Structure formats: C-alpha cells, structure tokens
Amino acid sequence: MIELGILQSIKMAIRSIKSNKLRAFLTMLGIIIGVSSVIVLISIARGSTANVTSQINNLGTNLLTVNTFGTDKVKLTDDTIEKFKKIQTIKAVSPAVSGRVTLKRDRTTAQVSLTGTTSDYQDVRNMKVAAGRFLSDLDVEYRQKIAVLGSTTAQTFFGWENPIGQHIQVDGTSFKIVGVLTSKGGSMGQSGDDVIILPLSTAQRVLKDTAIQTVYLQGKSGMNMDFVMAEVQMAMKRMFPNGTDEYSVFNQQDLMNTMSSVTNTMTMMLGGIAGISLLVGGIGIMNIMLVSVSERTKEIGIRKAIGAKRRHILLQFLIEAIVLSSLGGIIGILVGIGVGNILGKTMSLTVSYSSSVILMSFMFSLLVGIIFGVFPANKASKLNPIQALRFE
Amino acid sequence: MDHPIIEIKNITKTYRLGGEDVHALDDVSITIQKGEFIAIIGPSGSGKSTLMNMIGCLDQPDSGQYFLDGEEMVRMNDNGLASVRNKKIGFIFQNFNLLPKLTAWENVELPLVYSGLPTKERRKMAYDSLNKVGLGERANHLPTQLSGGQQQRVAIARALVGNPPILLADEPTGALDSKTSKEILDILRELNSQEHTIILITHDMEIAKNAGRMISIQDGKLIMDEGDRIGNSAINQNGHKEYQKQ
C-alpha cells in the first residue's frame, strides 16, 4: 500500500493546479473539446438513428412488401392474395393499388397520392385513425364511395372543420369521408400524410386499372422475418415460374439493418474523429506536465531531501495529470450536453444522450491522463536530489 | 553510548569534470558521537558539500564505508536512502528551501506526510515543532509572508518535526544578517543542549566557533579535527591558526 494517502495527493494536486488557473484551463481545453465533441457527435448520430428507426417502424412491423413491375407475366389477382393468406407464417395480407388523383372541394384543389386497399391495411401498415373509422371489408365488397384522409390532406381541405361525413371530389366523383388518420411524419423524402385511402374496388374504378401492383404482408409476431420472406418468395416462384425478374419481395427488417449499419458506421467514424482530438488533448497535458516538472525541479529536490521516495513523486505528478484530465472530462461532459441541447433546439435535431458514451468518454479522458502523465511523472521521480536542489 | 551516530571510514568520491578527475573526497574518515555539535569548515570547492551530501544520504561514495546509527548506508537503494533521510536526518539549508505554495504549518508537516503518519497526529506534531522555534502564531503564513529569519526557523521546525537524531545544517546563516544569524545559532545550540546531534557546514570561522568540535576540509582531505567531543563550544586557538596556515 502506498504510504502517502491518495486523498492527500489529490489535495496537493488540486492546490498546484489552482495556483495556475489559466494554464490549467488551457491544458484542459484539449480534453474539454475532445470529450464534448465525442458526446455531441455521438448523441446527434444516435438521435438520428433513433429517428430513422422509429420512422421505419411506423411503416409497419414484420412487414414484407411484394412489388410487381406491371408486366403481363406477373399479375397479382384476388387468387394470388388468397394463396398468400394460406401461408402459415403470414398474419395479414393487404393488396394495394396506387396512383395520383386530383381532389377538389369548393375552390380548393390538390394532387395527392391515392391508395386503394382493404381493411387489413390498417394493421399491416400500422395506421392509426384520429377521427372516424378506417375502411371495412363491406366498403370494399359494396364498392362504397367513401374515403379516409391523411392528416395533411384533411388539414388542406377542411382546416379546423370536422371532415367526417363531408364530401370531397376524387377525379370528379364525390366521396364521403369516414375517417382521418393521425400524422405519421415523412420518411425518406415522402410525406406519409399527404394521402387519400379508398376501398380497393372503388380505387380500381377511379384509376381505371384493375392490376394490383403491391401486396403488403404481415408476418406473425415472433416469426423470423427471413424465414417468412423465404416462404413468400417460394410461393411467388410457384405462381410465376417464369417471372422472377418481374417482381421483388422486400423485407422491412433489411431496410432497418441497412440503415442501422450505415448509422453505426457514421457513429463510429464521428466518435473516432472526436477520439483523435481527445488524444491530441492528452499530448497537451503531457507537454504542460513536462514543463511543470522542469519548473518544479527545486521542489522535487526539496521533497526528495526530506524523504519523498520515487513513488511519492511519481504519484504526485501522475495524480496531477489525472486530476487535470478528469476535471477536463467533467467540464467536457457538461459542455457536450449543453451544446447538444442548444444544437437540438436550434437545428431541430434529435439528440439522444447515452450514459455509456458519456461514461466511456470520461474513462477515456482519464486514461489519456494516465498514459500521458506517466512519462513526465517518471521523469520527475528520477531526478537526482542533489542536482534538483542546486537548480534555481 | 553503544555506537557512534555517524561512522565514516575511508570514503572517496571522484567526479569527472571536463575530462579531468576531481577528487571531491579523498580517503576521509570521521566518527561523530551522539549529542555532538560539530562544524565542518572549508572554502568553496573543498569538498564539504560533497561530504554533507554523503552524510545526508543524498549521495553515495565511490568507496569506503558509512554507518549511520549503526546501519550500513553504502549500496543502499534509493528508496532506502529516502527513508533514512526521512527518519534520521533533518536538513537545514542556506536558502531555507521551503515550498512557496505551502504554509509554514504544511511545510513543517511534509516530512511526516512522507513517513505516512495520520493527518491528526501530523498536524499536532508540526504545530508543536513550530512552537519550539517560536512561530506558533505564524503557522498559517506562507513563506513569502515571513522574514528570512522566520523562514529559517520554519525550516528548522521542519528538520526537527520527525525528531531525527541528526540535524544537518548547510550554511544555515548564509542568507541572513548577523542579528538573525545569532538567533538561529542560539536555536541550534539550544537544540544541541537537548541532545540533538548537529552537523554545521560553513565556510565562516566565526559561525564554526559555535560548535564543540571543528573539522576542516580542503581539496577533499581532512586537514584538522579538534575540539572536545561533547558540548563545550570553546574552540582551540591552535586549530584556528593551523587552518589559516593551510
């Protein structure tokens, strides 16, 4: 055990740091900038990852999408839909047609994207109804002229009015509005709220096209989506043996994995760059500690003459370096959180702090202090007391 | 008295200076008994500083033997020497060598910090030591707030605090005026009367006269060693003359 109490050494270190505040601050600056930039950059990267992930999740959970490219070889029909429904691992199937239509009410006109689909669409695509109801199976069966509006569409045409029960012209045909969706926010350049949803049968009539371009499939919860996807691909192959290039099966999870691997790489890169600045900060500490050792040669001589052992001197300078770097680390954490908050507010970024990142950057600054403190401390401890005492 | 406090036998120390060998100490032998007040005098470059460093365990001889309080010092490692300095020797330097950022109290406490005493005990011993040199009220002053004489008294308190058997004073009055010099020497004599062994290194004959025994060194060789062994501060006039002749 070290005879000289650690607490005593820390007190001594703080005192010697206090005696030259400006220098201490400049020394710590490297660490402060390093730690705070690690925290800010990683928090912003994590925030945007969380953002993207939640947007992808909003599209639907356990979602598979089958897209056709509208050729004769591959035509999705009610028959195909029925076959999908028979797959064990599939929970719900929702065919969809889509196109762009012009909506008109009084003097307001707007182009929105139209989706014609069935009642399962609500579950499969994770839609939430803010007012009224979603499509029902009966609406599809009886070709009802009813519509569900996206939140932006409802806002455009009705403002603060209640749209439920009112009518809107879709390419010249009048539709009764039965529901309004909650806002989903945009994802990847598309607004999910600038839409109108009609029953599949009616939409086919409006678009004058009976081809189903897209089928959304929801896997049963807890299923491995890769397995479900393989089953769907097999079913498609059986139905359309010659048309494997005419459709695509797309797994939501794939998108998620791609996104998260991209953002992980980004996070690592940002963290690495910030880590380098921490390293540079450490070199700054070493520099100042070396200056401090040569300035305090006499002090070291006196301490050695009255009985300080090598390890006492080593510990004194090492602790001083560690106190400097950890103090810099703490200030850096506070600055990092502060700057992150300001950036989050002013640039409307999502900022997500992680205690493990904060802890890690602090530990790293501590480590930098130890590594870059050892060399000067060792140099100090090796000084010859006679020469050190003679030093003026 | 079972053994002398310091027993130096035939030590030599050679430095290389500009390609030339300088015999800083050449076959020097000294025996010092417990409770002696001894002055080592010699002009600058005579080797007295080297001798002091040897006695103070700051340096090791090239050859010879050194027993401090019965213990062999030669070939002891750095840590062992540090520990001996801490427990057996109190240093008093010409330019005081106090740490400027610590208060008088903290300066005096420092040797005890390195010997690992608990804080409470340390603080009390340091305060007692300061009181012994009459500076109890100035315990919380920084060295810069004290006069030269007061600073040297703080340094004496620091040397005394661990109650080491030997006090090693290197030109303790060199930076002081004659009045304060006298005060410091009075304190040293007082300490000697309390059974502290005091070794005083100086180039000044007048100062050396305070000691009971005088050792003169020149060109690394002992050229004179006299005075009665215990306590009496009278100096042999012959010794003085002999020194002057050299």
Side-chain angles (χ1 to χ4, degrees):
Chain A
M1 191 52 213
I2 299 147
E3 298 158 29
L4 181 58
I6 295 280
L7 204 71
Q8 182 75 23
S9 311
I10 292 174
K11 269 190 215 154
M12 272 202 274
I14 288 172
R15 192 201 300 263
S16 96
I17 289 166
K18 262 190 190 162
S19 67
N20 205 333
K21 290 195 189 82
L22 180 66
R23 179 198 282 186
F25 174 72
L26 291 175
T27 312
M28 287 188 296
L29 203 57
I31 297 285
I32 294 173
I33 292 171
V35 169
S36 58
S37 55
V38 165
I39 289 172
V40 168
L41 292 177
I42 292 188
S43 299
I44 288 174
R46 274 173 48 94
S48 63
T49 308
N51 227 357
V52 169
T53 310
S54 83
Q55 279 173 1
I56 293 173
N57 268 333
N58 261 341
L59 299 177
T61 45
N62 291 352
L63 184 67
L64 286 180
T65 311
V66 179
N67 272 311
T68 64
F69 306 135
T71 57
D72 289 340
K73 272 191 204 154
V74 179
K75 267 211 162 80
L76 298 176
T77 58
D78 289 348
D79 198 30
T80 333
I81 308 296
E82 284 312 310
K83 283 211 171 115
F84 281 139
K85 280 184 180 162
K86 280 187 190 129
I87 299 174
Q88 284 285 309
T89 50
I90 297 289
K91 184 178 161 201
V93 180
S94 169
V97 295
S98 55
R100 287 194 76 78
V101 289
T102 310
L103 301 187
K104 187 164 179 287
R105 176 180 182 253
D106 299 336
R107 269 176 299 257
T108 319
T109 324
Q111 283 251 329
V112 299
S113 61
L114 171 141
T115 304
T117 187
T118 59
S119 61
D120 281 340
Y121 190 78
Q122 186 184 5
D123 270 349
V124 175
R125 297 301 309 275
N126 203 14
M127 297 281 179
K128 288 188 184 67
V129 176
R133 65 174 178 88
F134 198 69
L135 308 175
S136 71
D137 289 337
L138 281 176
D139 295 327
V140 181
E141 208 168 315
Y142 292 104
R143 299 170 198 278
Q144 291 289 318
K145 286 182 180 161
I146 55 118
V148 175
L149 300 185
S151 61
T152 310
T153 317
Q155 185 70 33
T156 311
F157 287 94
F158 297 96
W160 297 110
E161 278 180 74
N162 181 9
I164 310 293
Q166 309 227 40
H167 286 78
I168 196 162
Q169 306 265 322
V170 181
D171 280 351
T173 318
S174 181
F175 279 74
K176 186 182 170 191
I177 292 153
V178 295
V180 175
L181 300 171
T182 56
S183 172
K184 300 190 80 168
S187 72
M188 284 159 272
Q190 278 185 325
S191 167
D193 297 328
D194 203 7
V195 295
I196 181 167
I197 296 171
L198 305 183
L200 180 66
S201 47
T202 351
Q204 284 170 326
R205 200 175 278 179
V206 169
L207 294 168
K208 300 178 185 73
D209 185 2
T210 56
I212 295 167
Q213 299 124 347
T214 311
V215 178
Y216 296 102
L217 302 155
Q218 188 177 30
K220 287 197 171 129
S221 64
M223 291 304 299
N224 180 345
M225 286 312 287
D226 288 336
F227 177 66
V228 180
M229 184 156 152
E231 289 217 59
V232 171
Q233 272 168 330
M234 225 134 74
M236 283 297 283
K237 211 169 193 172
R238 247 181 274 124
M239 286 184 280
F240 308 105
N242 303 320
T244 43
D245 291 338
E246 318 289 325
Y247 64 83
S248 70
V249 181
F250 180 76
N251 185 350
Q252 193 75 71
Q253 198 64 45
D254 285 348
L255 180 63
M256 201 97 115
N257 292 346
T258 313
M259 283 312 292
S260 67
S261 91
V262 167
T263 50
N264 273 348
T265 313
M266 199 171 79
T267 309
M268 299 255 284
M269 235 170 62
L270 290 176
I273 291 168
I276 289 169
S277 71
L278 251 179
L279 212 65
V280 174
I283 294 168
I285 285 192
M286 177 159 76
N287 201 354
I288 292 295
M289 291 308 296
L290 282 173
V291 171
S292 170
V293 167
S294 61
E295 269 183 1
R296 284 154 66 189
T297 301
K298 180 113 189 173
E299 176 190 330
I300 295 164
I302 295 169
R303 285 178 187 272
K304 281 199 156 185
I306 61 172
K309 294 182 175 154
R310 270 194 62 181
R311 65 165 178 275
H312 291 136
I313 303 292
L314 186 97
L315 204 69
Q316 184 193 344
F317 281 87
L318 191 58
I319 282 178
E320 219 171 291
I322 294 171
V323 166
L324 267 178
S325 65
S326 54
L327 204 63
I330 290 168
I331 296 173
I333 288 171
L334 297 178
V335 169
I337 291 176
V339 169
N341 279 339
I342 292 168
L343 280 182
K345 289 227 172 71
T346 54
M347 298 170 73
S348 64
L349 291 168
T350 316
V351 182
S352 152
Y353 300 109
S354 135
S355 51
S356 69
V357 166
I358 289 174
L359 198 73
M360 236 174 62
S361 58
F362 179 71
M363 292 312 249
F364 193 62
S365 68
L366 212 67
L367 195 74
V368 159
I370 294 171
I371 291 170
F372 291 103
V374 161
F375 176 60
N378 190 43
K379 200 181 160 198
S381 77
K382 275 186 179 156
L383 283 177
N384 178 338
I386 302 169
Q387 276 159 19
L389 273 172
R390 239 181 257 146
F391 184 87
E392 287 303 330
Chain B
M1 220 168 296
D2 45 355
H3 56 75
I5 187 81
I6 285 171
E7 197 172 7
I8 288 172
K9 286 181 183 165
N10 314 102
I11 60 168
T12 60
K13 182 80 183 177
T14 310
Y15 295 111
R16 283 192 79 79
L17 211 70
E20 243 179 286
D21 284 346
V22 178
H23 297 282
L25 289 177
D26 190 2
D27 196 21
V28 172
S29 302
I30 307 171
T31 304
I32 300 171
Q33 301 297 338
K34 213 169 197 154
E36 276 195 274
F37 187 168
I38 178 167
I40 298 174
I41 61 170
S44 62
S46 59
K48 66 182 192 304
S49 294
T50 310
L51 183 59
M52 188 209 81
N53 289 339
M54 237 33 105
I55 295 172
C57 294
L58 288 164
D59 204 355
Q60 290 276 28
D62 294 336
S63 67
Q65 282 177 302
Y66 175 23
F67 295 93
L68 194 154
D69 212 2
E71 226 182 317
E72 168 81 75
M73 288 296 121
V74 180
R75 276 178 295 281
M76 193 180 254
N77 66 12
D78 279 359
N79 272 346
L81 290 175
S83 177
V84 168
R85 287 198 294 271
N86 186 246
K87 297 198 169 58
K88 301 271 169 78
I89 297 160
F91 285 95
I92 301 161
F93 299 97
Q94 174 174 7
N95 37 18
F96 325 134
N97 280 348
L98 299 172
L99 296 186
K101 282 166 195 161
L102 303 186
T103 63
W105 199 341
E106 287 162 332
N107 263 295
V108 174
E109 200 184 352
L110 209 53
L112 303 178
V113 171
Y114 289 124
S115 51
L117 257 69
T119 315
K120 222 172 172 179
E121 202 174 327
R122 237 166 42 207
R123 305 228 78 191
K124 192 186 171 302
M125 284 170 76
Y127 190 70
D128 288 350
S129 191
L130 272 173
N131 264 333
K132 231 183 258 180
V133 296
L135 279 176
E137 304 99 77
R138 312 233 169 200
N140 289 315
H141 284 54
L142 289 173
T144 46
Q145 296 164 326
L146 298 171
S147 72
Q150 287 169 332
Q151 286 186 51
Q152 192 60 301
R153 272 146 71 187
V154 173
I156 291 172
R158 179 178 68 185
L160 278 177
V161 71
N163 204 20
I166 302 160
L167 290 183
L168 199 55
D170 181 16
E171 302 275 9
T173 57
L176 300 173
D177 60 52
S178 55
K179 185 171 163 281
T180 28
S181 291
K182 195 178 165 301
E183 279 171 30
I184 296 298
L185 288 168
D186 285 345
I187 291 173
L188 290 181
R189 266 206 304 270
E190 170 70 23
L191 289 170
N192 180 236
S193 71
Q194 293 165 14
E195 292 296 294
H196 284 280
T197 309
I198 295 172
I199 301 168
L200 180 71
I201 288 110
T202 181
H203 66 279
D204 186 340
M205 205 57 209
E206 289 303 309
I207 303 290
K209 277 179 183 168
N210 286 280
R213 177 182 166 201
M214 204 152 68
I215 290 173
S216 175
I217 184 169
Q218 196 161 23
D219 297 328
K221 290 190 179 72
L222 275 196
I223 53 168
M224 184 198 78
D225 180 353
E226 48 191 290
D228 46 30
R229 296 244 144 173
I230 300 285
N232 192 341
S233 62
I235 190 75
N236 189 314
Q237 203 55 37
N238 281 340
H240 195 177
K241 277 180 188 157
E242 196 181 338
Y243 173 69
Q244 301 283 52
K245 263 187 267 168
Q246 292 289 329

